[in-house]
Amino acid sequence: MSEQDKIHALRQELHDHNYRYYILDNPIITDFEFDQKLKELQVLENAHPEVFDPNSPTQRVGGGLTKNFETAAHQFPMYSLDNSYSFEELKLWIDRIKKRLNEDSLELFAPELNFNCELKYDGASISLKYKAGRLIRALTRGDGIHGDDVTQNIKKIKTVPLVLQGDYPEEFEIRGEIVLPKDAFEALNKKRQEAGEPLFMNPRNTASGTLKLQDSSIVASRGLQCIVYAMVSEQAVYTSQYEMLNKAKKMGFYVADTAQLCHSVEDIESFINHWDTQRSTLPFDIDGVVVKVDRIELQERLGFTAKAPRWAMAFKFKAEQVLTTLSSVSYQVGRTGAITPVANLEPVLVAGTTVKRASLHNADQIEKLDLHLGDTVFLEKGGEIIPKVTGVDRTKRRSDSSPIQFPDCCPECHTPLVRKVGEAQHYCPNEESCPPQITGRIQHFCSRKAMDIEGIGEETVVLLVQEGLIKDVADLYVLSADQLTGIPRLGDVSIQNLLEGIEKSKSQPFQKVLFGLGIRYVGETVAKKLVKAFGAIERMQEATIEELEAIDDVGQRIAESVYNYLSTEENKRLIHRLRSAGLHLESTNSKEEQSSGILEGKKVVVSGVFERFSRNEIKDLIEQHGGENSSSISAKTDYIIAGAQMGPSKKAKAEQLGVPLLSENEFVEMLGI
Ligand code: AMP
Ligand code: ZN
């Protein structure tokens, strides 16, 4: 056997031993023997750099530096989960699901509605991409659309297979949670204490912090684990969540063996109760349970909201509660002028972190809690949730304490506050010159989801406003290097980045500009809808409230807000200046302009895999041409875009209902693209 062949054989052998040890928990060699073989492989690899393999078992040990974590787009977005905190809420969700599924009564073979219950691992989520059985990329969740590439560090986690076993789809993404087991966390803190280093707060923060360490040899030493819970692929090789977990295990992934298939609400309740009381026996932290509709076919029919799957629900365990003292209340002014009261508390440790502040939301909340200065309050914090004051221990109240008075005037600019009928929030109406509003608006405009101006962080905005260089977002576009030179904390490189970032932002599409203006209630989705409906800002300015309200997802509240914004003289001037600066204030989406509208009002189902486009691209095309995507075939379906490997049952159903099938080519021809 040549040395190269020996390398290949050893790699395969070590992958298998890894799998036996970490996944099957059934090793057939000792740790010592394993280490010997690994060393042997390392020596051979050093002598033969020509057969380097980024997925070799030797890549799990040793170092490697990542200077900057590149961001990359997720192939499929990483959604969040809806939460419920009581069985009542959970039952309501199940009722909603049943209703939704029954609505489509034309479904011919409605499979049984089962739920797969899993633990909600409390760590950092990760998306792993495999191609031809090899790990090629690992991304953090990031904002759900883009994540950071942490592949180098992920390879150090023993429960992430570098090369897969058995059968697997050619290309897929698998999602899981990176957790730091409790004992590893404690051991780590013990070492840090001995070394006089500051201690880590909790396993979750440590896990996500570790993923972003530059030195991957430290990652290797920390003992992170990866527990997988979801797979996304265009070629589904399973029909249920439960089956998927079993398949993932066979491929070499670590799945917790706690998942349980439940057939009734009672089953689900007892699963939840069991783990609520038993969670301390688990090797890692959990913050609840996730209940998922088991059948993939039903999941597809239920689909997603903008934020989360409709077919899954997290049940969060009751948060830990502690008592502390309310020292004072401060009032923060947001970019829209909304005033948020914040409780300043005696620092207290709750769920692993020290809490000093908690939002009190609005005046009603303060009144409801009947808060007095110096009160002893109940504080709750669980998982990701911001700490919350949930009550007052009245027995501890001093008789001379005074109730918290919500201020009449803005704490920043002293303008009398206003409160609209039916709204909980107080606002400072001084939009023009209230400092935090000015700063907040510009920060929002520059933020990633809006104009994404690199080179201007939140601090820089504060600085520029303080220096009197900008007062509104249009001022950004007349900044010059001369004006910026000499400002403390702004070096030449920063100035150049800043100006380049501003210049580059001029090519952002209209919808980003519109969202960036920060019109109250106009989020990303509404901005998109407005752009689609009106095309150009002039047409939007001419629109009546009724015309605005006629748009999907735009209710009276939003319509009025948009109308008022656009008809204010000040804003008209701002828009005019932005136009002069060269920003896009009309739709430049060439795809949209090219839209034939040929699918207007048509319901289309996409099935199988395609050659020229990904499934999501096909779905986008359908929407761009006026059609509506639906996930299940019914008598209302107008077309099915059928790719390779379309399921036989779907095909049969299409035939039975007489729904026309279009191939990828026919579809492309129909759209004339
Ligand atoms: P949240 O961050 O509260 O919206 O919850 C969503 C997150 O829960 C996901 O991004 C996952 O990282 C995490 N999670 C933990 N366990 C599971 C599980 N069994 N199934 C799905 N998501 C899970
Ligand atoms: Zn103010």
Side-chain angles (χ1 to χ4, degrees):
M1 195 190 275
S2 73
E3 289 203 324
Q4 281 90 339
D5 287 345
K6 177 89 190 159
I7 289 176
H8 292 303
L10 266 175
R11 283 178 182 158
Q12 190 52 50
E13 193 187 339
L14 288 168
H15 282 308
D16 289 344
H17 287 310
N18 246 324
Y19 172 61
R20 290 184 157 274
Y21 187 93
Y22 289 104
I23 308 302
L24 302 181
D25 199 13
N26 183 19
I28 48 170
I29 61 170
T30 63
D31 292 0
F32 179 73
E33 283 169 308
F34 183 93
D35 290 343
Q36 290 300 315
K37 283 180 194 285
L38 194 67
K39 272 191 198 135
E40 188 185 348
L41 175 61
Q42 186 72 70
V43 171
L44 285 168
E45 283 184 348
N46 290 347
H48 293 279
E50 77 281 5
V51 288
F52 173 78
D53 174 3
N55 290 46
S56 165
T58 52
Q59 296 293 310
R60 292 209 188 276
V61 286
L65 280 185
T66 312
K67 278 256 160 58
N68 290 310
F69 294 95
E70 303 272 329
T71 26
H74 290 291
Q75 190 178 352
F76 306 90
M78 284 182 90
Y79 289 89
S80 138
L81 288 170
D82 285 331
N83 289 320
S84 59
Y85 296 87
S86 68
F87 290 128
E88 275 59 48
E89 284 179 70
L90 199 64
K91 281 188 199 147
L92 285 174
W93 168 67
I94 294 176
D95 283 344
R96 281 201 303 277
I97 283 190
K98 286 190 177 157
K99 211 165 141 205
R100 252 185 192 271
L101 292 175
N102 283 338
E103 266 169 9
D104 191 356
S105 56
L106 288 155
E107 181 63 28
L108 299 179
F109 312 102
E112 226 185 314
L113 183 61
N114 284 335
F115 292 89
N116 195 48
C117 291
E118 298 166 22
L119 303 182
K120 188 168 188 300
Y121 319 110
D122 199 9
S125 34
I126 194 83
S127 183
L128 307 171
K129 184 162 184 172
Y130 286 82
K131 212 170 176 172
R134 301 163 69 83
L135 173 70
I136 57 164
R137 195 179 72 182
L139 293 183
T140 61
R141 172 158 145 189
D143 61 4
I145 306 295
H146 297 93
D148 290 327
D149 187 330
V150 291
T151 315
Q152 183 81 355
N153 285 344
I154 285 294
K155 283 189 180 167
K156 308 296 172 195
I157 302 174
K158 303 273 177 32
T159 36
V160 171
L162 301 179
V163 170
L164 301 181
Q165 309 277 328
D167 289 333
Y168 40 78
E170 173 60 22
E171 192 176 330
F172 66 97
E173 282 189 25
I174 191 158
R175 268 92 193 256
E177 198 82 356
I178 305 294
V179 298
L180 184 63
K182 293 177 199 166
D183 53 359
F185 174 75
E186 272 152 33
L188 180 62
N189 259 351
K190 191 154 172 265
K191 267 204 211 141
R192 291 179 71 88
Q193 190 159 28
E194 283 161 7
E197 291 172 309
L199 300 190
F200 287 122
M201 275 306 190
N202 60 43
R204 175 167 41 91
N205 292 349
T206 317
S208 53
T210 304
L211 286 184
K212 299 294 285 291
L213 288 177
Q214 293 194 332
D215 182 352
S216 66
S217 65
I218 306 181
V219 184
S221 72
R222 292 241 170 121
L224 295 176
Q225 282 238 40
C226 174
I227 314 175
V228 305
Y229 54 72
M231 202 161 158
V232 271
S233 159
E234 295 191 335
Q235 315 149 254
V237 289
Y238 44 84
T239 57
S240 73
Q241 168 74 9
Y242 196 77
E243 186 191 350
M244 185 278 293
L245 291 177
N246 284 327
K247 287 232 157 113
K249 182 165 177 180
K250 290 207 179 102
M251 292 177 205
F253 294 99
Y254 181 83
V255 292
D257 52 15
T258 41
Q260 191 184 314
L261 209 50
C262 292
H263 303 269
S264 66
V265 178
E266 292 70 38
D267 279 1
I268 298 175
E269 283 191 14
S270 64
F271 182 88
I272 292 173
N273 285 333
H274 174 80
W275 286 113
D276 196 2
T277 52
Q278 297 302 307
R279 62 172 148 156
S280 62
T281 64
L282 287 165
F284 41 77
D285 280 344
I286 60 171
D287 60 343
V289 158
V290 187
V291 186
K292 300 178 183 173
V293 170
D294 189 45
R295 301 285 301 241
I296 303 299
E297 198 186 333
L298 296 185
Q299 290 186 0
E300 284 178 356
R301 277 176 50 188
L302 291 165
F304 293 81
T305 64
K307 188 181 137 268
R310 288 204 188 84
W311 43 265
M313 181 60 85
F315 185 99
K316 292 274 185 103
F317 292 144
K318 272 249 166 335
E320 193 188 325
Q321 219 180 35
V322 295
L323 281 173
T324 187
T325 312
L326 176 71
S327 325
S328 64
V329 176
S330 21
Y331 298 87
Q332 288 176 348
V333 187
R335 74 175 160 84
T336 58
I339 312 288
T340 309
V342 177
N344 300 309
L345 306 159
E346 281 295 313
V348 61
L349 197 69
V350 45
T353 42
T354 304
V355 174
K356 289 182 236 156
R357 292 148 69 77
S359 167
L360 293 169
H361 305 288
N362 52 49
D364 289 346
Q365 185 68 10
I366 294 179
E367 205 169 303
K368 205 166 111 202
L369 291 166
D370 179 29
L371 273 188
H372 285 46
L373 213 58
D375 265 353
T376 302
V377 295
F378 291 103
L379 188 72
E380 263 187 20
K381 184 171 183 292
E384 290 294 331
I385 311 163
I386 305 162
K388 212 166 135 185
V389 174
T390 52
V392 175
D393 184 347
R394 302 259 179 110
T395 60
K396 299 217 170 78
R397 180 175 289 166
R398 287 174 43 168
S399 55
D400 60 350
S401 76
S402 50
I404 301 288
Q405 281 289 341
F406 205 87
D408 297 323
C409 292
C410 173
E412 302 277 347
C413 72
H414 312 293
T415 307
L417 299 180
V418 294
R419 190 183 195 179
K420 276 202 200 141
V421 206
E423 282 203 21
Q425 219 74 28
H426 282 78
Y427 286 93
C428 163
N430 180 15
E431 285 166 23
E432 220 168 292
S433 49
C434 180
Q437 294 191 54
I438 294 175
T439 317
R441 273 198 300 268
I442 304 175
Q443 286 169 335
H444 169 76
F445 184 80
C446 298
S447 68
R448 185 144 136 186
K449 286 191 165 176
M451 299 298 276
D452 193 16
I453 306 188
E454 281 172 34
I456 305 193
E458 300 204 337
E459 296 294 312
T460 316
V461 174
V462 175
L463 194 65
L464 297 181
V465 173
Q466 269 171 6
E467 293 286 327
L469 289 175
I470 51 174
K471 236 179 118 271
D472 59 34
V473 299
D475 287 341
L476 289 169
Y477 294 93
V478 290
L479 281 177
S480 68
D482 279 353
Q483 283 177 300
L484 296 167
T485 314
I487 293 183
R489 284 183 287 149
L490 270 190
D492 286 348
V493 179
S494 310
I495 293 177
Q496 197 186 336
N497 286 343
L498 189 151
L499 291 172
E500 272 171 19
I502 293 175
E503 189 57 35
K504 224 169 90 192
S505 75
K506 291 183 184 169
S507 57
Q508 290 287 12
F510 181 26
Q511 68 208 42
K512 296 238 173 192
V513 183
L514 187 63
F515 170 65
L517 290 178
I519 305 172
R520 198 177 293 168
Y521 311 130
V522 177
E524 275 180 293
T525 316
V526 171
K528 269 189 208 156
K529 296 247 155 120
L530 288 170
V531 169
K532 203 168 166 200
F534 293 103
I537 201 143
E538 283 78 17
R539 255 164 272 153
M540 224 175 276
Q541 284 172 319
E542 288 157 10
T544 61
I545 294 188
E546 291 71 36
E547 281 167 329
L548 286 161
E549 244 189 283
I551 299 165
D552 246 7
D553 282 353
V554 177
Q556 189 194 349
R557 196 179 59 145
I558 304 180
E560 280 176 5
S561 166
V562 173
Y563 184 84
N564 291 339
Y565 183 93
L566 293 176
S567 43
T568 308
E569 284 307 317
E570 178 75 17
N571 295 330
K572 281 188 191 161
R573 275 196 294 276
L574 180 79
I575 288 167
H576 182 75
R577 286 162 62 218
L578 289 176
R579 173 178 296 290
S580 312
L583 266 64
H584 290 305
L585 293 170
E586 63 247 316
S587 169
T588 44
N589 191 340
S590 53
K591 281 188 224 149
E592 239 170 49
E593 278 161 13
Q594 278 167 20
S595 165
S596 57
I598 203 158
L599 292 173
E600 203 57 59
K602 303 271 190 245
K603 284 199 165 53
V604 187
V605 173
V606 181
S607 181
V609 281
F610 301 89
E611 280 172 12
R612 215 176 117 184
F613 298 104
S614 74
R615 213 152 61 175
N616 282 340
E617 283 167 344
I618 300 246
K619 288 185 176 170
D620 286 346
L621 281 171
I622 292 171
E623 283 182 8
Q624 276 164 26
H625 290 264
E628 187 186 319
N629 283 296
S630 59
S631 50
S632 64
I633 302 170
S634 74
K636 290 189 204 133
T637 311
D638 293 291
Y639 297 109
I640 297 167
I641 316 298
Q645 295 170 34
M646 172 177 175
S649 65
K650 278 198 177 163
K651 220 172 220 163
K653 197 195 269 177
E655 265 168 31
Q656 207 172 341
L657 295 170
V659 182
L661 295 184
L662 296 179
S663 71
E664 185 175 6
N665 283 338
E666 286 167 331
F667 173 65
V668 167
E669 241 169 66
M670 178 174 179
L671 303 185
I673 49 176

